Amino acid sequence: MTTRLIRALLIVGAVPVAWYGLSLIWEMSPADIMSIVVWLIAGLIVHDAVFAPLCIATGHTAKNILPQRWWAPVLAGGSATVLLVLLALPVILPRPEGKAAPGGNESLTILDRPYGLGLTLAVLVIWALVVVMVVRNRHARSHPHDDVAGVHGA
């Protein structure tokens, strides 16, 4: 597949999803829409003022400490971990007093699940895969012709 075809398929898939999201926002009250706008602006400010500089500093430090073959797996693992933690914060953080759902459930979500355990397991799987990739990269670097012989039948 060419890059243009992949881009076109992504656009064709994204347009109905974006339309659906906008239709949900149009049905909201003006107060809810203003809350969304405030959160979007705050998110941009926090990203540009706090998160991006921290990522740059962490990447620069890792580049000076870690071997080059570790950079890609560690970067992918770190990015996935940060994303999962950020997505899980609303259901993991305790609710203020009086805001807990009926039955003592700390999360006001529909499903009552052990979100902390799920996050922990997901992060462990991510970093296990990082270790697998680092080991695989080391093996591929020390035996560069093993894969070629297997593929071509030589």
Side-chain angles (χ1 to χ4, degrees):
M1 283 190 166
T2 66
T3 304
R4 288 184 183 176
L5 178 61
I6 292 171
R7 286 182 183 162
L9 290 173
L10 288 172
I11 290 170
V12 167
V15 168
V17 172
W19 182 259
Y20 176 69
L22 287 173
S23 71
L24 292 176
I25 291 174
W26 285 328
E27 296 172 0
M28 292 181 168
S29 69
D32 288 339
I33 293 173
M34 185 53 70
S35 176
I36 291 172
V37 170
V38 168
W39 275 100
L40 286 174
I41 292 171
L44 287 172
I45 292 170
V46 168
H47 175 273
D48 291 350
V50 178
F51 188 67
L54 284 174
C55 287
I56 292 169
T58 303
H60 181 71
T61 303
K63 184 177 179 182
N64 291 328
I65 294 173
L66 297 174
Q68 184 177 2
R69 68 178 178 269
W70 290 22
W71 293 352
V74 170
L75 175 64
S79 300
T81 300
V82 169
L83 177 65
L84 280 176
V85 169
L86 288 175
L87 290 174
L89 281 179
V91 293
I92 289 178
L93 293 177
R95 296 281 179 182
E97 193 64 35
K99 297 259 183 168
N105 183 9
E106 287 293 321
S107 172
L108 294 176
T109 60
I110 295 171
L111 300 175
D112 182 20
R113 300 281 187 257
Y115 294 106
L117 176 63
L119 175 64
T120 302
L121 292 175
V123 169
L124 287 173
V125 167
I126 288 169
W127 286 98
L129 290 172
V130 168
V131 170
V132 167
M133 291 304 298
V134 167
V135 169
R136 194 192 106 207
N137 288 350
R138 181 187 308 182
H139 176 74
R141 189 174 198 161
S142 63
H143 307 303
H145 299 292
D146 286 353
D147 292 332
V148 174
V151 170
H152 297 293

